[in-house]
Amino acid sequence: MRIGVPRETRDHETRVAATPTTVAGLQKLGWSVIVEPGAGEDSSFPDEAYTEAGAELGDPWGAEVVFAINTPPPDDLARLQEGATLVCRVGPAQNSDLVEDLAGRGITVLATDAVPRISRAQSLDVLSSMANIAGYRAVIEAANHFGRFFTGQITAAGKVPPAKVLVAGAGVAGLAAIGAASSLGAVVRATDPRPEVADQVGSLGGEYLEVVVEGEEAEKSSDGYAKATSEAYDRRAAEIYSEQAADVDIVITTALIPGKAAPRLITAADVAAMKPGSVVVDMAAGSGGNVEGSRPDEVVVTDNQVTILGDTDLATKLPTQASQLYGQNLVNLMKLLTPEKDGQLVLDLEDTVQRGMTVAHDGEVLWPPPPVQVSAAPAAAEAKEPEPEPEPKEPRSPAWRYGAIAVGLALLFVATAFAPAELAVNLTVFVLAVVIGYYVIGKVHHALHTPLMSVTNAISGVVIVGALLQFGKHSLVVSILAGIAIVLASINIVGGFAVTRRMLSMFTTDPKAAQ
């Protein structure tokens, strides 16, 4: 079966639904790919690159499956064969009339912007892929219009303070913006109604501004998306936005609620309070806007010289990478829909991911799908029963200790009374060394035992030297004991240096040394 990739016709659209790299991935699944001539020109993918990858140039509308970025216009939809499958962005929650029209055409429609937010579907999530690019690009656009440094500098000519950036909304786009702005040296702050994103903001170098409403607990997201907030929350959030607008240099808003108009976060009064030269990037301009005064796909400069950018699809400004990520999302989708890798599409509506994406099938509207409840917050750890405390050991009585010392002294006396004079001297030194060593090591903190012993065990080399001197000068028994001493001391030395090497490798940046 064939997959068709048409050229996008929407204004300002620079992406393409398949790249030469993803064409190769589709062919491994048994599909033939037909690309409309010139489809990848705006994304820097010439026709020759597609043919070299194994694609065919021609009319894509006769294929059994058609990949697109946006929903094709009616004239192109009419060219689809009956029973074909269309994979593209639909916006089913906002375009019910479009969904009805698509269902009436007798085609199957899979909406790439309706992938459920579950772990298994992350590799198919087009919204996340494009939002990641858009968040990064929002910072680049803001830097271009800001006209000043992002990072702070101290020079001979004076001190330059870092730019202050406020990111409203810490979803995929917001987190990408936080990471990009932090990497440029800016002081970044972020707000979001989902408390579970605080750690993510902090890990990217941002400061999470929590909106605390007295008597109201923050509600964790059940599906990874932000929800509509209460009036009390909105009032407190508005106060924070007003305070921050007067202090920061750049505001980037990313707040969107699926199926609803974008919430208004920044008012005209907030914009009027911003410093001249400040920049606002309203990433929700296409859905009503988070910022009062923003206009879709326009640059607005206010009376107090604040620039408001209303780009509706920032991912189109990075078409090469955006096309590659979008195309790879579709390859991952086809891996799910082509389980046998034979180029035959198998749609399983019992599968949560496939059902969530399917908005029309066999002339029926299948939107909205059954809800999928998945919490984005980490699951609370199950309470474990406390382990019973070990029974304290009874301390040994002084009589027991004194008795052990007396027995030891008696054994030492017997050994020295009947042993040669040399052995008596060596035995006395050995006992004294054991006593001194015990008290010396016993005073060392447990955390230092390993490095201490790994180095001091090298002293066992003295034992080896002494044992070597015993060979051939005394009886066979002495030679055997000397051999045993050499083996045991060698093990001690090798083990000590091996442990030392492993410990030192923990503090080195050389990957070879750490192996």
Side-chain angles (χ1 to χ4, degrees), residues 7-184:
R7 183 170 187 165
E8 297 295 323
T9 58
R10 180 175 295 187
D11 292 341
H12 309 297
E13 182 59 73
T14 58
R15 294 166 293 181
V16 62
T19 69
T21 301
T22 64
V23 163
L26 294 171
Q27 290 174 331
K28 292 179 181 178
L29 297 174
W31 293 92
S32 299
V33 182
I34 303 175
V35 179
E36 183 176 353
E41 285 182 358
D42 293 337
S43 301
S44 300
F45 298 119
D47 292 342
E48 294 77 9
Y50 285 103
T51 55
E52 291 176 2
E56 176 186 345
L57 298 179
D59 181 12
W61 300 105
E64 290 79 11
V65 179
V66 173
F67 285 174
I69 301 290
N70 308 294
T71 305
D75 292 345
D76 289 333
L77 289 174
R79 299 168 63 186
L80 288 169
Q81 62 174 308
E82 186 176 356
T85 298
L86 175 64
V87 183
C88 64
R89 298 194 305 183
V90 178
Q94 296 85 13
N95 301 303
S96 56
D97 292 340
L98 174 61
V99 174
E100 292 281 355
D101 176 64
L102 293 172
R105 295 177 181 273
I107 61 175
T108 297
V109 180
L110 303 180
T112 58
D113 50 358
V115 177
R117 282 285 175 91
I118 60 177
S119 299
R120 188 166 60 90
Q122 287 181 351
S123 63
L124 324 175
D125 195 347
V126 168
L127 287 180
S128 294
S129 298
M130 298 301 102
N132 181 44
I133 295 176
Y136 169 84
R137 185 66 190 196
V139 175
I140 302 302
E141 293 293 319
N144 182 48
H145 287 83
F146 183 48
R148 281 178 269 168
F149 285 143
F150 260 54
T151 185
Q153 292 189 2
I154 298 178
T155 69
K159 180 180 179 181
V160 179
K164 298 177 182 178
V165 179
L166 174 67
V167 179
V172 176
L175 292 174
I178 293 169
S182 296
S183 66
L184 290 175

Side-chain angles (χ1 to χ4, degrees), residues 207-505:
E207 176 189 356
Y208 178 68
L209 303 178
E210 184 178 6
V211 179
V212 180
V213 180
E214 186 175 353
E216 182 178 310
E217 293 186 2
E219 182 179 354
K220 291 181 171 60
S221 173
S222 61
D223 58 3
Y225 291 99
K227 304 294 184 182
T229 52
S230 65
E231 293 183 4
Y233 180 96
D234 292 341
R235 284 194 299 269
R236 177 59 189 137
E239 294 174 359
I240 293 178
Y241 288 130
S242 297
E243 296 167 0
Q244 293 297 318
D247 182 49
V248 301
D249 303 296
I250 294 170
V251 176
I252 299 175
T253 64
T254 70
L256 286 171
I257 300 174
K260 296 184 179 180
R264 183 57 52 84
L265 305 180
I266 306 296
T267 64
D270 296 334
V271 175
M274 296 183 72
K275 293 171 286 190
S278 299
V279 179
V280 179
V281 182
D282 187 357
M283 297 181 63
S287 300
N290 297 142
V291 181
E292 187 175 356
S294 69
R295 292 197 289 269
D297 293 318
E298 292 187 21
V299 178
V300 177
V301 180
T302 65
D303 294 338
N304 61 324
Q305 298 302 305
V306 174
T307 302
I308 304 176
L309 307 179
D311 292 286
T312 57
D313 203 339
L314 286 162
T316 60
K317 295 181 180 293
L318 294 171
T320 303
Q321 281 117 338
S323 298
Q324 178 60 39
L325 291 181
Y326 186 95
Q328 188 58 49
N329 288 142
L330 298 190
V331 171
N332 295 332
L333 172 63
M334 297 312 291
K335 289 179 180 178
L336 184 64
L337 299 177
T338 318
E340 301 299 328
K341 299 182 180 181
D342 56 356
Q344 299 295 322
L345 189 144
V346 180
L347 183 62
D348 180 10
L349 295 180
E350 297 298 322
D351 179 75
T352 302
V353 177
Q354 299 178 50
R355 177 64 182 87
M357 296 180 63
T358 306
V359 299
H361 179 62
D362 287 341
E364 297 182 14
V365 175
L366 299 184
W367 182 266
V372 179
Q373 293 295 330
V374 179
S375 176
E382 295 181 1
K384 296 182 180 179
E385 295 183 1
E387 297 181 1
E389 296 183 1
E391 297 181 1
K393 296 181 180 179
E394 295 183 1
R396 292 171 178 172
S397 63
W400 189 94
R401 293 199 302 271
Y402 294 143
I405 293 174
V407 171
L409 291 175
L411 293 175
L412 179 62
F413 175 77
V414 172
T416 56
F418 297 98
E422 295 83 357
L423 180 59
V425 173
N426 293 338
L427 188 59
T428 302
V429 173
F430 172 75
V431 171
L432 292 176
V434 170
V435 173
I436 295 173
Y438 172 79
Y439 282 103
V440 170
I441 300 300
K443 298 300 181 180
V444 176
H445 192 276
H446 292 287
L448 299 177
H449 277 185
T450 299
L452 176 67
M453 297 305 295
S454 65
V455 175
T456 57
N457 281 344
I459 301 174
S460 298
V462 177
V463 176
I464 295 180
V465 174
L468 290 173
L469 295 176
Q470 302 304 316
F471 275 109
K473 293 185 178 181
H474 300 286
S475 65
L476 178 62
V477 175
V478 173
S479 298
I480 293 175
L481 292 176
I484 295 173
I486 291 174
V487 172
L488 295 179
S490 299
I491 294 174
N492 206 19
I493 293 173
V494 173
F497 281 112
V499 171
T500 301
R501 182 178 180 276
R502 290 290 299 274
M503 292 191 63
L504 293 176
S505 67

